Amino acid sequence: MLNLSTLNPQQRQAAETIRGPVLILAGAGTGKTRVITFRIAHMVERGIAPGNILGVTFTNKAAREMQERVNKLLPKRKTEDKANRPTICTFHSLCVRILRQHIDKLGYKKNFVIYDESEQLAVVKKILSAISAKGEKTDPGAVLAMLSKFKNGGESSNRVFGDPSVRALAEHVAKRYESALHACNAVDFDDLILLTLRLFREHPDALQACRDKYKFVMVDEYQDTNASQFELVHALTKEHRNFCVVGDDDQSIYGWRGAEVANLLNLEKHFPEVKIVKLEQNYRSTTTILNAANAIIKNNVQRRGKSLWSSKGAGAKILLNTYGNDEDEAREVVAQIEFKRLAYRIPWKDCAILFRTNQQSRPLETALRAANVRYHLIGGQSFFDRREIKDFIAFLKMFLNPHDDISLLRIANVPARGLSDVTMERLLGASHDRKGSVFAAMKNPLVTTTFQANTRKSIEAFVEFVERVQSELQTTANEFRLQTWAENFLNETGYFAELRRLEKNPENSESRVRNLKELMATMDGAGNAPTERLDNFLENITLDSDREEEKENTGDAVTLITMHSCKGLEFPHVFVVGLEDGLLPHTRSKVEGTMDEERRLFYVAVTRAMQTLTISHCGGRKKYGQLLPCHPSPFLKELPEDLVEHSDSKTKTPVAQDSGKNLFAAMRSAVS
């Protein structure tokens, strides 16, 4: 029996309101995930079939955590049948599920591949090379970002593409881009949602099948939805109206990537009968921190009123420090972290340093290294961005679908097998002329006979290799192991040997080989047939947007993180650095009219702190080696004076190194 008495009155009301439209306004640290999981378990207890419940989140990590917590609350018999569990997944995963069943209605094959950013960029580069004037240089990343905004539509799109000439150019590039992907039976992340919407518009039977399955829909972090995600959930719910959204407009900080806070603010326009439940009791922070956060955010006029409170007591005042420059700031922040560790036994992992832009991490990292303080920078190179991993995934995608040009072109001559860049460019040109794939051109005698004998043999050998390895994959034996199959073809191609040859440092080369072998060990997961298992494996890799959070536990280390990346996290001791005009609020916000979002970003940073909050700004900051003057952020004036303790470090005399060592030795002795 589910025990709802463990919830506070507002949480319980949210969990028990299971029919009709509901908006759960969940302030920072108010137990949102707990409420969602109890609500799902309560639905099942009230007789709603688990298979009819859909929970949509923004990250795979959140979906996994929610699924695990729901499983613990439900009776075991309700979770043993995987096919009849509640569906808890991301927007993209949901669309993959729908498209795997119905995408053939749109002219794609069901074994479509999903392109990641590097593969999308490769397509854009090909388009630019065909349409750009000689000597003209265009940033493919900027074009890709433009395409994403154009495809997703909404207010942000209208602002960018209001000019008819700009819109015409965007339409032209988008058409070529879509055609290039379709030719490879590929889609990108945006397409997953947009094709699902197209499916719903053009094939009402597919929409009805989804509505019949997902009769109760919940969406987490609703303030982060963009125009197409908004359209998707409304298509599913506007008939049965069992639609629950959970979010906080005060934490809407992703407008720059298409999120529209209006989706949450204007919910009554679409669901006039919506019931609103506010969660305001915070279980994370002290009263001082929450009162400061409330004072900051009330300066935003367009918001749903709420006021966070806590029973944790007042706690320490917020410490506000001023430094001469960013290097002084970094050294002092590290010194304060070390003081907490030595004087109060506060481990490094309880401390986090938050900043507005990635460039701010450099002096901080330098100071942490100089003090021998371990740290974890969230946002470093992802495991999946390593060259050997990208090569391996390209091999897998090509064997699954040889007509995937992007994957084939990446590894056709890796390791070198006589297929030079010139050869591949000629084959690519032939594929364009014949409106087919590069692989189809490689198999066409009319194309291959135009090459010299040695090159023709290399092309034929490559085709034979692909078809042979592909046929091994398509064996019907379920006991066939993908791990062994993958190791065999990498050995046969000489890829492992190539990795060792290219790396001068033997330790680095073995690390690359180990990376591949560790990944291969995870290939034989869900699914029966080898191709099904490989499909699932590639899908999980491509869809996982939490790659940085998948890294192994970093142990006792200070967290360095941007304000945009810290949402959803909490730390006992938080240092917010660089509170200067031009950084927060960012210079762009004044031009673009996004000051409210910058204030929400500050609010999010403040509400990460559990016990202590230290904020700092500098009189000068280095840019290209030159110290430029800085001014305090106007947001600092919004902090109530009675909650803040000022400390002007410029009036302090630094302690001599020997004296400092003696002080720390005495502290060690005192706490040992």
Side-chain angles (χ1 to χ4, degrees):
M1 185 77 176
L2 189 66
N3 184 9
L4 293 176
S5 65
T6 59
L7 304 177
N8 70 37
Q10 290 72 33
Q11 289 176 332
R12 183 164 183 165
Q13 183 188 8
E16 288 181 330
T17 310
I18 58 177
R19 293 187 182 274
V22 183
L23 166 59
I24 302 173
L25 270 178
T30 56
K32 172 190 71 167
T33 305
R34 183 175 169 79
V35 170
I36 294 171
T37 52
F38 267 78
R39 190 174 188 273
I40 291 172
H42 181 62
M43 284 180 177
V44 176
E45 194 174 72
R46 294 293 298 270
I48 294 169
N52 290 147
I53 300 171
L54 170 65
V56 187
T57 70
F58 272 83
T59 68
N60 287 290
K61 185 185 177 194
R64 281 192 294 272
E65 182 189 348
M66 217 171 278
Q67 187 74 69
E68 286 164 10
R69 287 169 72 164
V70 167
N71 289 349
K72 285 177 185 172
L73 292 174
L74 291 174
K76 199 172 180 186
R77 61 185 171 79
K78 294 281 189 184
T79 60
E80 282 175 344
D81 178 11
K82 288 186 180 180
N84 199 38
R85 281 182 186 174
T87 301
I88 301 175
C89 61
T90 64
F91 275 102
H92 292 113
S93 297
L94 171 66
C95 292
V96 169
R97 288 169 189 245
I98 294 169
L99 292 173
R100 287 282 177 219
Q101 287 183 287
H102 302 288
I103 199 168
D104 53 329
K105 294 181 172 75
L106 300 176
Y108 290 78
K109 296 173 188 169
K110 288 186 178 179
N111 68 336
F112 62 87
V113 292
I114 305 164
Y115 276 5
D116 64 16
E117 189 177 355
S118 66
E119 291 162 327
Q120 291 173 259
L121 283 169
V123 174
V124 170
K125 284 175 186 173
K126 277 168 55 181
I127 293 169
L128 291 176
S129 69
I131 67 172
S132 298
K134 193 172 182 180
E136 184 183 358
K137 288 189 177 179
T138 309
D139 177 9
V143 173
L144 189 59
M146 175 201 76
L147 279 173
S148 183
K149 277 189 176 177
F150 179 73
K151 286 160 69 173
N152 280 297
E155 283 304 310
S156 57
S157 170
N158 292 335
R159 284 196 297 271
V160 176
F161 302 107
D163 183 329
S165 61
V166 175
R167 177 167 288 277
L169 176 63
E171 284 174 352
H172 177 68
V173 175
K175 193 172 180 180
R176 293 188 73 137
Y177 175 81
E178 183 185 338
S179 176
L181 262 66
H182 199 164
C184 300
N185 197 40
V187 300
D188 66 17
F189 279 86
D190 293 327
D191 289 334
L192 291 173
I193 295 178
L194 297 174
L195 286 173
T196 304
L197 290 174
R198 186 180 141 203
L199 175 76
F200 286 172
R201 285 192 297 270
E202 296 177 8
H203 301 275
D205 55 324
L207 172 58
Q208 193 56 51
C210 292
R211 284 176 175 167
D212 290 344
K213 178 167 176 57
Y214 303 123
K215 294 177 180 175
F216 293 83
V217 177
M218 295 182 71
V219 181
D220 190 16
E221 303 285 9
Y222 192 64
Q223 76 281 349
D224 294 338
T225 52
N226 62 26
S228 52
Q229 289 161 340
F230 172 85
E231 190 180 341
L232 178 73
V233 292
H234 280 253
L236 288 173
T237 60
K238 66 183 176 186
E239 283 194 358
H240 60 62
R241 304 184 84 73
N242 295 318
F243 179 41
C244 174
V245 300
V246 186
D248 180 9
D249 51 310
D250 291 336
Q251 295 186 73
S252 177
I253 58 173
Y254 299 123
W256 49 278
R257 67 183 188 200
E260 297 188 10
V261 69
N263 292 348
L264 188 147
L265 292 175
N266 301 332
L267 193 63
E268 288 91 339
K269 285 184 181 177
H270 307 276
F271 295 92
E273 75 275 34
V274 65
K275 185 176 182 64
I276 300 172
V277 182
K278 293 183 185 180
L279 304 183
E280 296 171 296
Q281 183 175 358
N282 176 285
Y283 294 91
R284 174 187 297 158
S285 309
T286 64
T287 301
T288 295
I289 291 166
L290 295 180
N291 286 347
N294 289 333
I296 293 162
I297 204 64
K298 75 177 183 185
N299 291 289
N300 277 0
V301 178
Q302 287 190 307
R303 62 183 287 262
R304 290 184 181 267
K306 70 188 83 65
S307 186
L308 298 179
W309 63 275
S310 167
S311 58
K312 288 198 163 198
K317 283 192 173 186
I318 295 166
L319 193 60
L320 181 59
N321 290 323
T322 306
Y323 299 106
N325 57 59
D326 49 346
E327 290 176 354
D328 289 347
E329 178 184 50
R331 276 194 301 271
E332 283 293 320
V333 167
V334 173
Q336 289 170 56
I337 289 171
E338 280 296 81
F339 182 82
K340 286 178 183 291
R341 183 175 71 90
L342 297 167
Y344 303 110
R345 294 191 173 186
I346 291 169
W348 288 327
K349 65 182 173 64
D350 283 359
C351 300
I353 306 173
L354 276 54
F355 41 89
R356 174 66 171 84
T357 65
N358 284 309
Q359 290 88 336
Q360 289 170 261
S361 75
R362 187 201 54 77
L364 293 163
E365 289 190 74
T366 302
L368 288 160
R369 289 180 182 188
N372 290 316
V373 174
R374 283 194 297 275
Y375 67 92
H376 170 44
L377 175 64
I378 294 182
Q381 188 190 33
S382 163
F383 175 81
F384 293 92
D385 286 335
R386 298 179 191 278
R387 185 186 74 238
E388 67 275 15
I389 302 300
K390 283 185 168 291
D391 286 347
F392 178 59
I393 291 168
F395 271 117
L396 297 181
K397 287 184 174 180
M398 180 192 66
F399 290 132
L400 207 55
N401 174 15
H403 304 289
D404 173 3
D405 283 353
I406 301 297
S407 298
L408 184 144
L409 290 168
R410 181 181 179 97
I411 49 80
N413 206 39
V414 178
R417 52 170 67 88
L419 299 173
S420 67
D421 287 348
V422 173
T423 298
M424 296 314 296
E425 280 178 23
R426 281 183 60 190
L427 286 165
L428 185 59
S431 73
H432 281 313
D433 293 342
R434 287 165 173 74
K435 295 184 170 52
S437 68
V438 173
F439 191 68
M442 294 174 108
K443 292 182 67 175
N444 188 335
L446 294 175
V447 174
T448 55
T449 51
T450 64
F451 289 89
Q452 291 184 349
N454 285 345
T455 305
R456 190 163 63 247
K457 281 180 185 174
S458 297
I459 294 171
E460 289 166 354
F462 179 73
V463 169
E464 186 275 330
F465 162 68
V466 172
E467 291 184 334
R468 177 167 43 79
V469 178
Q470 193 183 24
S471 70
E472 290 170 14
L473 174 66
Q474 289 167 344
T475 179
T476 53
N478 287 348
E479 62 273 13
F480 177 90
R481 287 190 56 76
L482 290 174
Q483 182 181 358
T484 308
W485 167 78
E487 285 199 32
N488 286 345
F489 79 68
L490 287 179
N491 274 319
E492 182 187 342
T493 60
Y495 189 80
F496 286 133
E498 178 83 345
L499 279 183
R500 293 185 175 104
R501 187 182 66 79
L502 290 173
E503 281 287 355
K504 291 176 183 175
N505 185 327
E507 194 177 317
N508 288 350
S509 67
E510 287 313 310
S511 172
R512 290 186 181 277
V513 171
R514 190 166 60 250
N515 286 340
L516 279 173
K517 292 196 171 179
E518 284 175 4
L519 185 59
M520 284 188 279
T522 67
M523 293 178 73
D524 292 288
N528 295 317
T531 49
E532 185 186 350
R533 271 180 277 141
L534 186 54
D535 264 333
N536 291 333
F537 173 75
L538 288 171
E539 224 162 75
N540 289 336
I541 285 174
T542 310
L543 288 176
D544 197 343
S545 57
D546 297 331
R547 292 169 187 163
E548 290 311 311
E549 296 168 84
E550 296 299 318
K551 290 179 178 175
E552 69 278 1
N553 192 323
T554 52
D556 187 18
V558 174
T559 298
L560 285 184
I561 188 169
T562 65
M563 295 177 189
H564 279 106
S565 300
C566 74
K567 190 153 77 75
L569 304 178
E570 61 185 27
F571 307 93
H573 306 280
V574 168
F575 296 82
V576 181
V577 300
L579 249 291
E580 293 140 30
D581 199 8
L583 278 178
L584 190 75
H586 199 278
T587 309
R588 284 195 310 267
S589 66
K590 296 171 185 178
V591 179
E592 296 172 357
T594 53
M595 281 286 283
D596 280 9
E597 182 157 319
E598 293 291 293
R599 185 177 283 108
R600 291 195 290 266
L601 193 56
F602 185 32
Y603 173 84
V604 166
V606 167
T607 54
R608 298 312 95 196
M610 300 167 74
Q611 297 170 25
T612 69
L613 174 63
T614 304
I615 299 173
S616 58
H617 62 94
C618 302
R621 189 168 289 276
K622 277 191 176 175
K623 192 171 184 182
Y624 307 119
Q626 186 181 358
L627 190 67
L628 300 175
C630 298
H631 303 284
S633 167
F635 294 154
L636 292 174
K637 293 177 183 173
E638 298 174 4
L639 290 168
E641 271 297 320
D642 60 321
L643 303 180
V644 177
E645 183 180 320
H646 293 262
S647 172
D648 189 344
S649 71
K650 288 185 284 189
T651 63
K652 296 178 182 176
T653 305
V655 177
Q657 192 171 4
D658 288 343
S659 303
K661 284 181 179 175
N662 293 337
L663 173 64
F664 284 130
M667 287 162 57
R668 281 194 190 93
S669 174
V671 299
S672 60

